[in-house]
Amino acid sequence: METSFSLSPALTKEERYQQFIPLLTAYIAGETEAISVLANVSAALHEAFHHFWVGFYLVKDAHQLVLGPFQGSAACFRIRRGRGVCGTAWAACRTQVVPDVEQFPGHIACSSLSRSEIVVPLVQEGEVVGVLDIDSDQLNQFDETDRLYLEQVARLITQTVSLR
Ligand code: SME
């Protein structure tokens, strides 16, 4: 199956997500290999939205997030619970929308290019099992529209594969 996630540049952000979600839903339906699904979801988000870093951190041994599949430059391997934007999303079990990373106390700068960021927890059986992290090289790139649709992406992933 060949699916292109390259969307028309003329679309608004909301329209892009509205086209993206059904494409992604059909694309990953029935796949049971978690790493493969995460790899393709990061590739699809990168192709559709062009942010410079898109990827996953997965909870390991209850204390740390460990780098999973991603698109972008090499990143930190491990993040402790409560640390940085990712560790905060995990500890709070809540999406973090960060318009300016320099204003976020404890932000972990894996890349000096990062200016704004959104981190969405992946929740399975009531526990955070990982996070979806997206970084932009421009300020103020993420808002409630991203939160709404990326939380749908997170639910789609956790309904499709086991991350525990
Ligand atoms: N900025 C993140 C670290 C991960 S990188 O952005 C890929 C944080 O503060 O948790």
Side-chain angles (χ1 to χ4, degrees):
M1 172 173 59
E2 187 184 328
T3 300
S4 171
F5 290 93
S6 177
L7 306 175
S8 162
L11 300 174
T12 66
K13 181 157 71 178
E14 180 138 38
E15 289 167 342
R16 300 174 87 72
Y17 278 116
Q18 285 172 352
Q19 290 199 5
F20 179 80
I21 301 269
L23 279 176
L24 187 71
T25 304
Y27 194 60
I28 71 173
E31 179 52 63
T32 55
E33 187 60 43
I35 294 298
S36 306
V37 166
L38 298 181
N40 264 339
V41 172
S42 60
L45 282 166
H46 190 256
E47 190 180 355
F49 295 94
H50 310 294
H51 297 303
F52 90 91
W53 203 92
V54 182
F56 295 92
Y57 281 88
L58 300 172
V59 172
K60 300 280 177 192
D61 70 30
H63 301 297
Q64 293 188 322
L65 288 165
V66 179
L67 184 62
F70 69 94
Q71 297 273 308
S73 46
C76 338
F77 279 108
R78 290 169 187 270
I79 298 172
R80 300 228 301 272
R81 194 168 190 273
R83 297 294 171 89
V85 186
C86 292
T88 300
W90 175 16
C93 190
R94 207 177 146 76
T95 298
Q96 306 293 306
V97 178
V98 182
D100 178 354
V101 296
E102 289 184 11
Q103 303 303 315
F104 189 97
H107 167 258
I108 300 164
C110 289
S111 165
S112 59
L113 286 177
S114 180
R115 293 281 174 273
S116 58
E117 181 166 6
I118 185 167
V119 179
V120 180
L122 302 172
V123 180
Q124 213 148 42
E125 294 169 27
E127 279 182 31
V128 177
V129 289
V131 299
L132 164 62
D133 179 15
I134 305 182
D135 287 74
S136 172
D137 56 6
Q138 295 170 55
L139 291 168
N140 295 311
Q141 287 304 292
F142 305 104
D143 56 21
E144 289 304 306
T145 300
D146 298 280
R147 180 203 298 269
L148 177 75
Y149 288 103
L150 292 172
E151 287 180 353
Q152 286 184 30
V153 170
R155 277 195 296 278
L156 177 62
I157 292 167
T158 54
Q159 286 164 6
T160 304
V161 289
S162 172
L163 298 172
R164 293 171 65 92

